[in-house]
Amino acid sequence: MKEMKMTYEELNKEVWNVANELKGNFRDDTIATICIVFTLLRRIDCMLRPYNSKVVSAYKKLIGRADENGLDAELTKATGGRAYYNKSGIDFDALLADENNFASKFSAYLDAFSPLVKEIFEGFQLNQIIFTLNKTSLLRKVFDGFCALDLSEEIVDGDTLADFVYSLAQKKDVWGEVLNDKSGLVDTLLANLVAIKGKSEDGSTIYDPTCGSCHTLLMAKEAIGGKGEIYGQDINNFAVALTRTMAILKGEEDLIHNIRTGNTLTDDKFPQARFDNIVANMPFGMDWKSIYREMQAEAKRPETRFFAGLPALNDSQFLFIQHILTKMSDKGRACFLTNSSPLYVGGPKSTENEVRKRLITYDMLDCLVYLHSPLTNTRINVVIWVIDNNKSKLRKGTVQI
């Protein structure tokens, strides 16, 4: 008889049975982060178990003979093509069995992960978490609790794990910057509006320059038919770590490589790329004085993204809008969210007006969707802009409001 897989409710109960040990020592948001990290670690441990000996063997053969990139590629092959590996030869069972050397072995285990996984750890500030767990004598207790959970593919599927991790992040107000659309309305609208012309072809691309947890990106991919390669960037290290965690749990491992950490305005991680579908929920009214010199230098370059110049220093929205417009492919379509000020701010010869003029002159503006504040998780009215480089004949020369 086929064994039933663990349900979301069962997983939630099991993890919080462990997490209850942390109450009184940590804030709720820190407890949730600990749960996310150890859920990820346990899942990876279960997934890598069949490949550990192959990885160790390959590592011993190649150490000192291959550069870092070559070594990473070969060890990835040893896992059957997974985007992560651990070259220590240690697993949860070995750590559980060696109580006397647990702390040092656990440290060696974490340090032996592939570079991408270690970047996830950095995003979650794992070193600080481990230090505090050790200080409170709770590290071993938490480890034992998660070690008792079987998070293999046969027992719990990736969607269930990802939904659980997302719920942890979504519940915490301190993470509002990462997950700022609790109702999901904006994500749903952006995804459906970018996909309204129909399903995308194989080989199409989807991009979000302020991707956060990538929830909008993933919804957009589903809306356009589940095809297309995802790309994203975000300045928030935690958000990128969360995204990569979700990708590992759901088995969407290519997503790990295509989501980058960094300031999109000063350090575009995809400088030559142009995208077929773009979605973005950009920050409203964000002051950009701290990056003025970098923006001024780029604006002077012939190939600058900021074709209309630099907007007012108290609001970065027109920097992001210009970035998006220059990242669209010839057939590209973009849907992004702003507050209402980009509709009217700026005088006749201002940067802001030049951007609006370009949208009208080249017939790129397809639709504006006005959302009243009760519909979103903000106290302000917001607008979704729909931009299209390849309008249908029926919509040419028109703007729907």
Side-chain angles (χ1 to χ4, degrees):
M1 182 178 178
K2 187 176 180 180
E3 189 173 357
M4 295 290 290
K5 290 199 173 188
M6 186 183 293
T7 65
Y8 174 93
E9 291 74 18
E10 291 167 338
L11 175 64
N12 184 69
K13 180 180 178 181
E14 293 292 336
V15 171
W16 280 104
N17 281 342
V18 180
N20 284 335
E21 299 282 352
L22 302 170
K23 289 184 176 178
N25 292 284
F26 296 92
R27 298 185 331 184
D28 284 350
D29 58 303
T30 305
I31 292 174
T33 304
I34 293 169
C35 289
I36 290 172
V37 171
F38 275 88
T39 298
L40 172 65
L41 279 172
R42 183 56 172 147
R43 176 64 158 198
I44 288 177
D45 175 70
C46 292
M47 299 294 283
L48 289 181
R49 192 165 296 173
Y51 308 102
N52 281 339
S53 60
K54 294 178 183 178
V55 171
V56 172
S57 177
Y59 178 66
K60 288 179 178 178
K61 288 178 182 177
L62 293 167
I63 187 66
R65 298 172 56 190
D67 62 19
E68 188 174 328
N69 290 334
L71 185 62
D72 185 62
E74 290 303 316
L75 296 184
T76 297
K77 285 181 185 178
T79 66
R82 297 191 182 280
Y84 51 88
Y85 56 81
N86 188 295
K87 57 183 183 284
S88 68
I90 302 170
D91 60 16
F92 268 44
D93 288 344
L95 289 165
L96 186 68
D98 194 354
E99 189 167 348
N100 293 332
N101 300 301
F102 171 75
S104 60
K105 270 196 171 182
F106 189 59
S107 178
Y109 172 70
L110 295 178
D111 193 51
F113 272 105
S114 51
L116 280 169
V117 174
K118 290 165 83 170
E119 286 180 17
I120 294 175
F121 294 162
E122 288 173 13
F124 288 137
Q125 298 183 317
L126 182 58
N127 286 340
Q128 182 61 41
I129 288 173
I130 298 301
F131 174 81
T132 310
L133 284 171
N134 265 322
K135 190 176 179 180
T136 54
S137 302
L138 288 168
L139 177 59
R140 180 67 196 223
K141 189 170 287 190
V142 171
F143 175 83
D144 287 356
F146 276 89
C147 193
L149 293 176
D150 186 348
L151 298 186
S152 62
E153 286 182 301
E154 293 75 22
I155 300 300
V156 55
D157 63 51
D159 286 339
T160 300
L161 280 169
D163 288 346
F164 172 65
V165 165
Y166 187 76
S167 73
L168 288 172
Q170 199 171 34
K171 282 191 283 189
K172 306 306 172 187
D173 290 338
V174 73
W175 296 343
E177 185 179 349
V178 179
L179 301 160
N180 56 8
D181 176 29
K182 291 182 179 179
S183 69
L185 172 68
V186 171
D187 283 345
T188 302
L189 280 172
L190 288 170
N192 286 321
L193 285 169
V194 84
I196 205 166
K197 292 173 76 173
K199 306 301 182 184
S200 286
E201 303 171 356
D202 287 332
S204 64
T205 52
I206 316 163
Y207 171 62
D208 186 342
T210 57
C211 64
S213 67
C214 277
H215 194 237
T216 312
L217 263 177
L218 291 169
M219 289 188 72
K221 181 177 180 178
E222 184 178 350
I224 65 174
K227 297 177 181 179
E229 195 165 2
I230 287 177
Y231 296 83
Q233 183 170 340
D234 201 276
I235 197 170
N236 188 315
N237 290 333
F238 183 94
V240 174
L242 180 62
T243 295
R244 288 174 166 174
T245 296
M246 301 276 280
I248 289 175
L249 297 178
K250 291 170 71 71
E252 297 175 351
E253 294 171 20
D254 60 323
L255 186 58
I256 302 172
H257 298 282
N258 293 341
I259 303 301
R260 311 281 175 81
T261 304
N263 188 328
T264 296
L265 298 178
T266 60
D267 183 22
D268 178 13
K269 298 296 185 182
F270 310 98
Q272 305 305 319
R274 299 296 178 265
F275 302 98
D276 304 316
N277 304 280
I278 300 178
V279 290
N281 186 348
M282 66 186 72
F284 303 159
M286 185 182 78
D287 186 296
W288 57 277
K289 290 187 183 75
S290 63
I291 59 171
Y292 175 73
R293 288 185 179 180
E294 294 97 315
M295 295 294 91
Q296 189 180 44
E298 176 164 342
K300 292 178 180 178
R301 296 174 190 154
E303 71 282 6
T304 180
R305 290 170 289 164
F306 308 113
F307 55 86
L310 301 178
L313 286 167
N314 64 350
D315 191 350
S316 64
Q317 287 180 101
F318 270 98
L319 292 175
F320 281 107
I321 291 172
Q322 289 183 84
H323 170 79
I324 288 169
L325 296 181
T326 58
K327 302 301 285 186
M328 295 171 66
S329 69
D330 291 340
K331 60 179 180 179
R333 186 174 174 86
C335 296
F336 54 83
L337 188 76
T338 70
N339 61 22
S340 58
S341 68
L343 292 173
Y344 55 81
V345 67
K349 294 184 179 181
S350 66
T351 292
E352 293 85 350
N353 201 55
E354 286 301 310
V355 174
R356 291 190 292 263
K357 183 178 177 181
R358 180 185 177 112
L359 291 175
I360 300 300
T361 301
Y362 291 96
D363 197 18
M364 298 168 68
L365 183 58
D366 187 29
C367 182
L368 293 169
V369 182
Y370 189 75
L371 301 177
H372 292 282
S373 57
L375 297 176
T376 65
N377 195 35
T378 70
R379 294 182 179 181
I380 58 176
N381 297 323
V382 297
V383 180
I384 294 178
W385 301 60
V386 182
I387 312 298
D388 198 330
N389 270 343
N390 186 29
K391 282 187 181 181
S392 65
K393 288 183 179 180
L394 183 65
R395 299 183 72 83
K396 283 187 183 296
T398 67
V399 177
Q400 182 176 354
I401 299 175

